[in-house]
Amino acid sequence: MKQAAASIQEELNLRAKEFWPRLYRFFYYKVQNKEEAEELTQETFHKVFRQTGNDNIEHDKIEAYLFTSARNLLTDLWRKRGRRPGSLSVEELREKGWDIPQQRQEVEERLMVQQALQELSHDYKKVLTYRIIEGWSVEEVAMKMGRKPGAVRSLQFRAVQALKTKLQEGGYFDE
Amino acid sequence: MNENRHEEYIDEFIDNLRNEQKPAFYRRQEQGKETEKDAELEKMFETVRAVKRIKKAWKYNTTAAFFRSRSFKGAVAAAAAILLVLGLNLFNLTGINDGNIVHAVVEAYEELHSYKGVVEIRSEREGETEFLETIEIKYQKPLQYSAFHIWNNSERHYLSDGEKLAIIGPTKITVDNLFPERELWRYHIGTAVWELEEAAEINVLGKEKIFERNTTVLEYRFPGDEDFHQMWIDESVNLPLRKVLNHPDGSSLTVEFKELEINPALEEDSFAWELPAGIEVEELNQAISLEEVKDGWPEVGQALAAAPADMELIQAGLLDEPFFDYVLRFRGESGKDFLDIYYTTTPNEPHFMAGGEQGTLDNDRVEVDEGVQNVFELYSGESNVARWIKSDAEIFIVSTRETFQLEKTLEEVAGSKINWEAVSAKTAQTEAGEYTLYYMEITDTSFRLEKEKRSFESPPEPQELVKALLQGPEKPELSRIIPEDTELLGVHVENAVAYVDFSSAIAEASYGSEAESVLVNSIVQTLTQLQEINAVQILVEGETVESLGGHISTFKPLP
């Protein structure tokens, strides 16, 4: 048993190069910042490392095990942050071939957000594009839009609110 | 639940994400400093993430926005720490210096006031050279240059005194009085520097020695573009020595300096305006006074007042080209910062540009687009454009400035605000039963969109209008533009967008840009006169296609 656990760790080490980017990409998609994505990826590895010490999962299940851990980690995190756990079923990581449904879902989500964004007023669209997609600072956006920084801050807040409402109507936060 | 607090949270959250940091709100929550737990706030956070996810082809090693981020060093340190823990080299960290390289190149270009060298321009397809041109150039900022071009045993001398350009051939001299930069921009060092500045993503590929110089090799990509181009930066002067632009069709264009001297001592008369005697001179475009502009453009004063205050009018001109009559050229402080306002009393077709945003100004159509490539084949690289199409005139602005400033300029010219909600300014007057069908008129020099009135006993269904387009015009001087063997597979209307599905024949014909514009406009304008239709999505065999002929994007509905 000790032997098996050790070699799972060995295999994890061996295949980390393969798993790391996939886990990282999964987390990055969810949290949208490098720092948290790295933290969560690392934590997943650590958790599996610790657990395989007294667990004898089969070698070919190691991938599923890793991704289940990743999903659980995210579920806990969302719950801690006040999101309904129910909103997680869409984030199901399939045990096999999870990349493809994942990608399809990503495309569908993106289309929905793009559509909702298109329906916003011109200024809302503009401020969200500048601030979030293009990544300009409030001061830079203020210059671009010919407004004061304070006005940009409240404009972006109202824009996020309006978009949230639209996404909500479209069932974005459901399930 | 305090709104002001939420406003701050959202602002902070957006900043955290753009700096690729863990949101400070969550950090405080973990430390017990933040007690607020609010499902609505979390939904707003998720909305911000959702918008950020739209950013296409995001790569987590290097992007232009990332270089600006304050946390860049911190993020690299964090990545390195993780690597230590796992003892693995998972990330390629060669990108660390890319931001510094761009910075160094931009600074080096600011220090440059002149150069002298030999440039080779080469276009290649499948390893075969299709075109080769060698240029011996002397250049001095901002716009003086003398360049000898050699290709196919032909030779031309391009001479610019900074205001006008002479193209001197063996039997003819052409003088362009308004656009001295037009040839230079193809190979100019500054163009390559600006391309790097505009790139959405830059990666260091490695080092290479070319022409006995040590260079750093970069790949770069423009925003919204998938293709990577390459650039070789000379390490001794921090300026581009070679670039290779890759086209999606598999061809490539190489611009390389086989010899280059930065800030050399140039003879005083290097750019003296001396044209060889005895050769016929053709003058193109005229620099004229503002008083003369007023003859054909009475409201030019409004345009002058509306131009950005920090720009200077450098020239007013009368144009010899078919699309516009006059131009006002404004320049900002930096060499590339410009804003040109064009004017004509014969408005051009709408949808002259693909994509972009539409609105109305004084009930007339406004089109604005960002990052348009090679406008008029005169503005090299990307520019922003805005146009206001009135019934008796059109104003067209091309600029390096943000589209917002272009919109503001148009608004000031008009003295009113652009209305972005009322996208569909119905141009055709639909009286009872009478509708307009748009066909093509072929003149000696061009294809044009032409109207034909048709009576319908009851308001026509969209498919009836499209079928009428397919049947062709009644007037003999007009032609149908949709290819003969094209079938209409279906039309349906959803959310004011008409989805018109054609058989593949429509995309198989070859169209020039003009013909394609007429084709797309004939379908779009015919359909948008119906009250229930604001935009038209053209489909081919049920699918959206990028373009019918390669010039106009049909990926999105066209209003």
Side-chain angles (χ1 to χ4, degrees), chain B residues 272-292:
Chain B
W273 191 257
E274 279 164 18
L275 303 183
I279 305 179
E280 182 201 342
V281 177
E282 188 194 25
E283 299 265 340
L284 201 63
N285 304 321
Q286 286 173 50
I288 57 176
S289 72
L290 283 172
E291 277 308 307
E292 289 169 291

Side-chain angles (χ1 to χ4, degrees), chain B residues 253-537:
Chain B
L253 183 78
T254 304
V255 177
E256 63 187 18
F257 279 82
K258 296 175 124 48
E259 292 168 29
L260 179 63
E261 239 182 290
I262 302 297
N263 298 334
L266 294 176
E267 301 81 21
E268 246 173 60
D269 59 353
S270 290
F271 312 106
W273 191 257
E274 279 164 18
L275 303 183
I279 305 179
E280 182 201 342
V281 177
E282 188 194 25
E283 299 265 340
L284 201 63
N285 304 321
Q286 286 173 50
I288 57 176
S289 72
L290 283 172
E291 277 308 307
E292 289 169 291
V293 176
K294 241 184 209 162
D295 293 341
W297 183 4
E299 311 87 16
V300 64
Q302 290 159 345
L304 283 172
D310 59 338
M311 285 187 146
E312 193 189 337
L313 178 75
I314 55 154
Q315 231 159 19
L318 181 63
L319 298 163
D320 285 335
E321 52 112 317
F323 296 113
F324 293 95
D325 308 331
Y326 296 98
V327 65
L328 299 178
R329 310 200 77 196
F330 297 88
R331 286 290 170 279
E333 259 181 48
S334 90
K336 67 161 177 176
D337 189 21
F338 73 87
L339 183 133
D340 291 349
I341 305 180
Y342 289 83
Y343 177 85
T344 177
T345 48
T346 50
N348 297 287
E349 300 292 347
H351 307 299
F352 196 67
M353 326 172 284
E357 287 190 89
Q358 287 87 26
T360 58
L361 181 59
D362 280 354
N363 292 321
D364 289 312
R365 188 186 180 84
V366 166
E367 297 180 1
V368 178
D369 205 358
E370 255 175 330
V372 183
Q373 285 284 347
N374 299 331
V375 179
F376 304 150
E377 281 166 17
L378 179 63
Y379 299 89
S380 167
E382 295 196 343
S383 328
N384 297 332
V385 296
R387 49 195 297 237
W388 180 29
I389 313 148
K390 300 198 278 186
S391 58
D392 58 349
E394 177 184 347
I395 290 180
F396 191 112
I397 307 178
V398 189
S399 178
T400 43
R401 292 283 169 105
E402 300 292 340
T403 49
F404 176 78
Q405 289 202 16
L406 274 53
E407 291 159 12
K408 217 165 147 183
T409 304
L410 284 183
E411 285 174 345
E412 278 174 32
V413 171
S416 62
K417 288 269 170 200
I418 297 175
N419 180 0
W420 295 102
E421 315 298 331
V423 177
S424 62
K426 306 271 178 195
T427 42
Q429 279 297 318
T430 52
E431 288 160 38
E434 195 162 77
Y435 287 81
T436 307
L437 295 169
Y438 291 83
Y439 294 103
M440 175 169 67
E441 183 184 21
I442 305 173
T443 71
D444 290 345
T445 52
S446 66
F447 303 118
R448 277 178 23 199
L449 199 61
E450 220 18 91
K451 296 171 189 168
E452 183 175 295
K453 294 274 184 201
R454 207 60 84 75
S455 290
F456 288 84
E457 285 177 13
S458 55
E461 292 292 320
Q463 46 267 42
E464 278 180 74
L465 288 180
V466 183
K467 277 183 191 153
L469 281 182
L470 287 169
Q471 276 157 9
E474 285 166 357
K475 291 186 198 164
E477 66 271 28
L478 301 183
S479 325
R480 76 177 254 179
I481 166 100
I482 303 173
E484 287 291 337
D485 43 352
T486 306
E487 286 173 53
L488 178 66
L489 304 178
V491 182
H492 74 277
V493 181
E494 213 179 294
N495 294 329
V497 177
Y499 293 81
V500 189
D501 191 6
F502 291 104
S503 66
S504 58
I506 196 169
E508 279 159 10
S510 79
Y511 307 98
S513 59
E514 216 176 31
E516 192 179 339
S517 162
V518 174
L519 169 72
V520 170
N521 275 295
S522 81
I523 301 166
V524 173
Q525 296 205 34
T526 300
L527 282 170
T528 50
Q529 64 188 310
L530 294 176
Q531 278 310 322
E532 70 269 30
I533 297 172
N534 282 339
V536 177
Q537 172 67 60

Side-chain angles (χ1 to χ4, degrees), chain A residues 54-95:
Chain A
N54 42 25
D55 208 346
N56 61 344
I57 56 162
E58 286 165 44
H59 283 211
D60 56 349
K61 295 247 173 83
I62 192 162
E63 186 175 340
Y65 195 81
L66 201 58
F67 290 117
T68 308
S69 294
R71 188 189 55 199
N72 292 342
L73 198 67
L74 198 72
T75 312
D76 288 347
L77 188 73
W78 277 175
R79 194 177 285 128
K80 249 187 268 170
R81 292 178 181 174
R83 261 164 92 158
R84 286 183 298 131
S87 67
L88 280 172
S89 63
V90 286
E91 289 154 5
E92 198 81 12
L93 271 168
R94 307 290 156 89
E95 289 181 0

Side-chain angles (χ1 to χ4, degrees), chain A residues 6-20:
Chain A
S7 65
I8 283 171
Q9 291 194 344
E10 256 169 48
E11 186 161 349
L12 256 187
N13 240 336
L14 223 62
R15 294 177 67 188
K17 210 174 188 138
E18 166 197 339
F19 291 139
W20 184 284

Side-chain angles (χ1 to χ4, degrees), chain A residues 20 28-30 32-36 39 81 83 131 133 135 144-145 153 156 164 168, chain B residues 11 15 18 20-23 26-27 40 43 46 52-53 55 58 60 82 86 402 404:
Chain A
W20 184 284
Y28 187 89
Y29 184 78
K30 297 299 174 196
Q32 290 294 313
N33 69 84
K34 283 169 68 91
E35 201 178 347
E36 257 185 307
E39 233 175 56
R81 292 178 181 174
R83 261 164 92 158
R131 279 287 278 148
I133 300 177
K144 281 165 175 290
M145 299 190 66
R153 279 192 194 93
Q156 80 186 3
K164 188 207 80 180
Q168 202 154 8
Chain B
D11 188 47
D15 275 329
R18 60 181 270 273
E20 297 297 331
Q21 286 165 326
K22 176 171 181 166
Y26 296 140
R27 218 180 269 289
E40 286 309 300
K43 273 182 198 163
E46 184 56 26
K52 191 169 171 223
R53 283 183 198 122
K55 194 170 193 166
W58 168 263
Y60 40 87
I82 293 162
L86 287 163
E402 300 292 340
F404 176 78

Side-chain angles (χ1 to χ4, degrees), chain A residues 13 16-18 20-21 24-25 28-36 38-39 42 45-46 49 77-84 91 109-110 113-115 117-118 120-123 125-126 128-138 140 143-146 150 153-154 156-157 160-161 163-164 167-168 172-173, chain B residues 3 6-8 10-18 20-23 26-27 29-30 37-58 60-61 65-66 68 75-76 78-79 81-83 85-86 88-91 357 368 370 402-405 407-408 420-421 495 556:
Chain A
N13 240 336
K17 210 174 188 138
E18 166 197 339
W20 184 284
Y24 178 89
R25 228 177 301 139
Y28 187 89
Y29 184 78
K30 297 299 174 196
V31 300
Q32 290 294 313
N33 69 84
K34 283 169 68 91
E35 201 178 347
E36 257 185 307
E38 278 159 5
E39 233 175 56
Q42 191 176 13
F45 269 96
H46 281 177
F49 249 74
L77 188 73
W78 277 175
R79 194 177 285 128
K80 249 187 268 170
R81 292 178 181 174
R83 261 164 92 158
R84 286 183 298 131
E91 289 154 5
E109 280 180 3
R110 195 152 60 204
V113 178
Q114 266 165 346
Q115 179 66 36
L117 204 56
Q118 279 312 313
L120 293 184
S121 78
H122 183 251
D123 281 354
K125 220 176 345 188
K126 207 138 232 191
L128 294 180
T129 305
Y130 281 149
R131 279 287 278 148
I132 306 171
I133 300 177
E134 294 181 7
W136 302 95
S137 72
V138 164
E140 285 164 327
M143 268 167 55
K144 281 165 175 290
M145 299 190 66
R153 279 192 194 93
S154 59
Q156 80 186 3
F157 178 69
V160 169
Q161 256 182 336
L163 186 64
K164 188 207 80 180
L167 290 178
Q168 202 154 8
Y172 190 83
F173 303 104
Chain B
E3 262 223 355
H6 278 196
E7 203 175 294
E8 277 168 36
I10 294 296
D11 188 47
E12 180 190 61
F13 189 84
I14 293 174
D15 275 329
N16 290 150
L17 287 202
R18 60 181 270 273
E20 297 297 331
Q21 286 165 326
K22 176 171 181 166
Y26 296 140
R27 218 180 269 289
Q29 222 174 35
E30 283 166 12
K37 191 151 113 186
D38 180 339
E40 286 309 300
L41 185 63
E42 181 53 42
K43 273 182 198 163
M44 278 196 267
F45 285 164
E46 184 56 26
T47 303
V48 173
R49 291 191 195 101
V51 175
K52 191 169 171 223
R53 283 183 198 122
I54 297 178
K55 194 170 193 166
K56 230 171 100 193
W58 168 263
Y60 40 87
N61 54 354
F66 194 35
R68 286 197 296 266
V76 171
I82 293 162
L83 299 183
V85 169
L86 287 163
L88 292 164
N89 183 15
L90 295 166
F91 290 99
E357 287 190 89
V368 178
E370 255 175 330
E402 300 292 340
T403 49
F404 176 78
Q405 289 202 16
E407 291 159 12
K408 217 165 147 183
W420 295 102
E421 315 298 331
N495 294 329
K556 286 193 279 188

